[in-house]
Amino acid sequence: VPTAASTDGTKGVRLPAGVAAGETVFVKNIAGSAVALKVYSAASTGFINATAGSTAYSLAQSKSALFVNLGSDNWVTLLTA
């Protein structure tokens, strides 16, 4: 399981490449301060919630998200409350 720690919001994680449609990846931001964790698709040609993969999805402090692959490195998220 890849992990990243950052106190200044400069680090992030990249979703895996070669994931089949319907597969999921769980990401949790355990930052102790109000720092968002950046999440990127596997390639800059991918998408997260219809946003280009070169743009990070920001996962807020203490939040979790389930990333669901729709195929071709196209992801949607289910965010926790």
Side-chain angles (χ1 to χ4, degrees):
V1 174
T3 60
S6 177
T7 57
D8 59 5
T10 61
K11 295 190 177 59
V13 295
R14 188 168 299 280
L15 296 171
V19 177
E23 290 193 44
T24 61
V25 174
F26 181 78
V27 178
K28 179 171 179 61
N29 183 355
I30 58 171
S33 59
V35 174
L37 177 66
K38 296 176 181 179
V39 182
Y40 298 92
S41 64
S44 61
T45 55
F47 293 90
I48 299 175
N49 293 341
T51 301
S54 58
T55 302
Y57 174 87
S58 292
L59 186 58
Q61 173 198 10
S62 301
K63 294 292 182 181
S64 301
L66 185 66
F67 291 79
V68 181
N69 190 331
L70 302 178
S72 300
D73 201 23
N74 184 9
W75 300 84
V76 293
T77 58
L78 303 169
L79 184 64
T80 62

